């Protein structure tokens, strides 16, 4: 299987890539930080993957086309694309600093939408393949603690929903991966409880979803399907009495 | 950064501190700068038992978990220091390679294995972990990173291997792996009736690939030191290379304090001994159950209850072994304290590292539940051990008195000099090094 991973040095993407590497996959990794990318590539090669890399900032939309062009010509055929980049905005700071809020939204939503639309067209031309994106359970309900991040993830999820509709019945699959609480450097400052999963658990499950060609919306770990079912059905008045 | 309460594997003592996870080896220096004036120590998987990985700031090696290169022709592995033996086994057993030295758990990092200079059941033949480390990279107190080996910066190498993290933070290492014909071991179990017979068996089987004894520390008088001696060799009559299983069992909660009392321990020890074969018996076992029986149960340290336990491990020089072990076992039998698992092993010669634990002789490891009366007993055992020329393993220690570390570790002053030469004494300290005045 050949997989293109955008935001490859994020801890969840890294854990996913390691699983794919042990299966001997062909990987094409895209990330901003050249040193981190080189370090990850060595790790994955040691684990058995054939690896190419490209340094690219997802907010640099002008060079997006050439980045994808190079990825496609290097791999020849792309079975799976995993878009995994993201930041966790400081909600309180963004409420006071609007330009900062917009910049975070651009990274988490706009950059992802641009990539998804472009990649969708390429997969359509190719006739088959999977577009997988890591969104979040945070996109399912606006909550005071995290609604900027949630709004960005919701935008991506709606786009994926539409793409899935567009490609239904074709060879192109669309997968919306919604992790719950994951212990990664992005969430290093959060107190952890029993609901938290490790990046390795989540990456293992994502790799498995990619390997079996899953599509639609998937929660990782699975228990978040049930948790979100409850949170989505909380009446507004009740939700507003929580600190969620 | 996570602020909270931390402990070693023994869950005694506990201390508050900040856990910082540098994202890459080249970020360790900025983590050092950001740490302020308090004590700093590196921390891997927290498997040292006492307070050797506790400090105001703990640099967690969890994100330094990248491989760098493996050469399948020579078996040389380059990796970052946060890579665990568990991960290495997953990568290399299917290719027919195995860690050259492994402690009784695979949940240790490479950095931790070097810092404690761990030994395994093959110490009598293959020495400590550091004997198979051709080179390592260390971040010093000033944030600079330096490569050291037995040839280059050898003072730093000798101090860092076994140095309990007190010279700096190990960020990368090169390991020489060993070839294995299969993932299977031929294990021979021999039951002995007393200590003299147990020690004689170690002598007789000095050329065995692996050897260790499980000892009944609550045996009746006259049967003191009766054991099951276990010998092992990699099985070359098969070529299966199967990985170990992921542990399914876990201790779900802290056991009530009284679960492991003198009666249940005596019963367990007697049953375990009785399970041993009357005649020496050889069977084929997977490396997982041969090397890592306790890894099958996650969080087994909770069996000792909320107050935790102390693992007491000492070594006695060969000639003092019989007399010293007898005194120690008699003293324990009189005390009424008992150990769930007591492990005895004959060690090979000491190496040149300043603070490495092993010396030619016998090492015994015992687990004791923490209770107020325990500490006086351990102080008495310390006196016996050191009067016989022995020493205590720093990776296990949680409570030793300061005078003993000087008696047990004759190169402590050399170690201190190296620490001062590289400015480590001003930055790197654990609760243990403060307690012992290292």
């Amino acid at each position: 299987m050949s997989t293109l991973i955008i935001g490859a040095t994020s801890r969840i993407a890294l854990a996913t890539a390691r699983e794919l590497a042990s299966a001997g996959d062909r990987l094409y990794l895209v990330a901003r930080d050249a040193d981190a990318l080189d370090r990850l590539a060595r790790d994955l090669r040691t684990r058995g993957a054939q690896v190419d890399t490209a340094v690219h900032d997802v907010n640099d939309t002008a060079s997006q086309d050439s980045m994808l062009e190079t990825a496609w010509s290097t791999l020849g055929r792309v079975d799976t694309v995993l878009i995994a980049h993201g930041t966790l905005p400081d909600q309180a700071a963004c409420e006071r600093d609007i330009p900062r809020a917009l910049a975070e939204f651009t990274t988490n939503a706009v950059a992802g939408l641009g990539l998804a639309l472009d990649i969708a067209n390429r997969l359509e031309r190719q006739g088959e393949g999977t577009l997988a994106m890591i969104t979040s359970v945070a996109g399912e309900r606006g909550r005071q603690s995290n609604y900027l991040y949630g709004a960005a993830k919701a935008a991506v999820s709606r786009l994926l929903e539409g793409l899935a509709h567009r490609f239904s019945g074709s060879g192109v699959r669309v997968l919306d991966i919604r992790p719950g609480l994951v212990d990664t450097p992005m969430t290093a400052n959060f107190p952890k409880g029993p609901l938290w999963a490790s990046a390795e658990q989540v990456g293992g499950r994502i790799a498995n979803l990619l390997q079996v060609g899953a599509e639609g919306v998937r929660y990782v770990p699975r228990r978040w399907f049930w948790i979100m079912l409850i949170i989505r059905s909380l009446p507004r008045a009740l939700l507003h009495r929580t600190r969620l | 950064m996570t602020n909270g309460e931390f402990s070693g594997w023994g869950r005694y003592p506990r201390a508050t501190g900040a856990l910082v996870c540098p994202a890459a080896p080249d970020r360790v220096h900025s983590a050092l700068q950001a740490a302020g004036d308090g004590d700093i120590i590196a921390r891997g998987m927290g498997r040292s038992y006492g307070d050797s990985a506790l400090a105001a700031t703990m640099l967690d090696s969890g994100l330094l978990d990248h491989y760098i290169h493996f050469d399948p022709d020579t078996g040389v592995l380059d990796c970052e220091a946060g890579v665990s033996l568990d991960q290495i086994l997953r990568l290399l057993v299917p290719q027919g390679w195995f860690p050259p030295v492994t402690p009784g758990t695979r949940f240790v990092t490479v950095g931790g294995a070097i810092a404690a200079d761990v030994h395994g059941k093959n110490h009598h033949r293959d020495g400590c972990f550091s004997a198979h480390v051709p080179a390592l990279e260390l971040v010093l107190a000033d944030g600079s990173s330096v490569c050291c080996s037995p040839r280059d910066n050898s003072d730093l190498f000798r101090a860092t291997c076994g140095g309990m993290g007190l010279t700096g933070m190990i960020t990368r290492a090169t390991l020489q792996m060993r070839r294995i014909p299969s993932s299977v071991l031929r294990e021979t179990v021999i039951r002995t009736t007393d200590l003299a017979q147990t020690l004689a068996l170690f002598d007789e089987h000095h050329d065995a690939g692996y050897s260790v004894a499980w000892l009944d520390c609550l045996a009746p008088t006259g049967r003191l030191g009766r054991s099951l001696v276990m010998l092992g060799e990699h099985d070359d009559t098969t070529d299966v290379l199967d990985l170990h299983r992921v542990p399914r069992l876990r201790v779900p909660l802290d056991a009530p304090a009284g679960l492991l009392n003198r009666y249940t321990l005596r019963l367990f020890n007697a049953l375990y001994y009785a399970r041993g074969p009357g005649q020496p018996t050889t069977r084929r076992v997977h490396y997982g159950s041969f090397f890592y029986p306790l890894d099958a149960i996650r969080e087994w340290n909770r069996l000792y209850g909320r107050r935790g336990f102390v693992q007491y491990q000492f070594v006695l020089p060969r000639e003092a072994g019989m007399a010293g072990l007898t005194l120690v076992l008699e003293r324990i039998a009189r005390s009424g304290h008992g150990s769930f698992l007591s492990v005895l092993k004959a060690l090979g010669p000491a190496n040149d590292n300043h603070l490495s634990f092993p010396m030619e002789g016998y090492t015994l490891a015992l687990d004791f539940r923490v209770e107020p009366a325990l500490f006086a007993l351990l102080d008495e055992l310390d006196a016996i051990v050191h009067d016989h020329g022995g020493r205590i393993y720093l990776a296990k220690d949680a409570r030793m008195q300061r005078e003993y570390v000087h008696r047990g570790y004759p190169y402590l002053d050399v170690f201190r000099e190296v620490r001062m030469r590289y400015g480590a004494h001003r930055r790197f300290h654990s609760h243990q090094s403060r307690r012992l005045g290292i």
Side-chain angles (χ1 to χ4, degrees), chain A residues 124-144:
Chain A
E124 188 177 37
R125 283 201 293 279
Q126 196 178 266
E128 57 178 347
T130 299
L131 168 62
M133 280 185 86
I134 297 179
T135 65
S136 174
V137 296
E140 298 199 1
R141 229 159 160 192
R143 293 160 299 107
Q144 55 89 28

Side-chain angles (χ1 to χ4, degrees), chain B residues 135-189:
Chain B
L136 61 87
E137 186 188 79
L138 183 73
V139 174
L140 301 174
D142 64 2
S144 66
S145 126
V146 45
C147 196
C148 51
S149 72
R151 261 190 38 218
D152 303 320
N153 299 310
S154 61
D155 59 341
L156 209 47
F157 185 82
R158 292 294 168 216
T160 300
C161 298
M164 303 307 291
L166 297 171
T167 56
M169 182 169 188
I170 303 166
T171 47
R172 296 190 179 97
T174 304
L175 310 179
Q176 175 62 61
M177 305 295 290
R178 75 179 283 172
R179 257 206 193 287
I180 46 167
S182 71
S183 54
V184 179
L185 284 112
R186 277 197 311 276
E187 182 192 55
T188 303
V189 181

Side-chain angles (χ1 to χ4, degrees), chain B residues 305-346:
Chain B
R306 254 198 61 75
R307 280 195 293 190
F309 69 106
V310 170
Q311 184 164 94
Y312 188 73
Q313 183 169 1
F314 62 91
V315 58
L316 293 174
R318 205 179 140 77
E319 59 278 9
M322 185 66 202
L325 283 167
T326 305
L327 281 177
V328 167
L329 290 173
E330 282 174 354
R331 185 65 199 88
I332 293 169
R334 272 209 315 279
S335 76
H337 294 271
S339 168
F340 191 42
L341 281 177
S342 316
V343 177
L344 179 68
K345 155 116 199 93

Side-chain angles (χ1 to χ4, degrees), chain A residues 111-131:
Chain A
L113 300 184
L115 283 163
L117 287 168
D118 197 334
I119 289 162
N121 292 341
R122 288 169 196 272
L123 291 175
E124 188 177 37
R125 283 201 293 279
Q126 196 178 266
E128 57 178 347
T130 299
L131 168 62

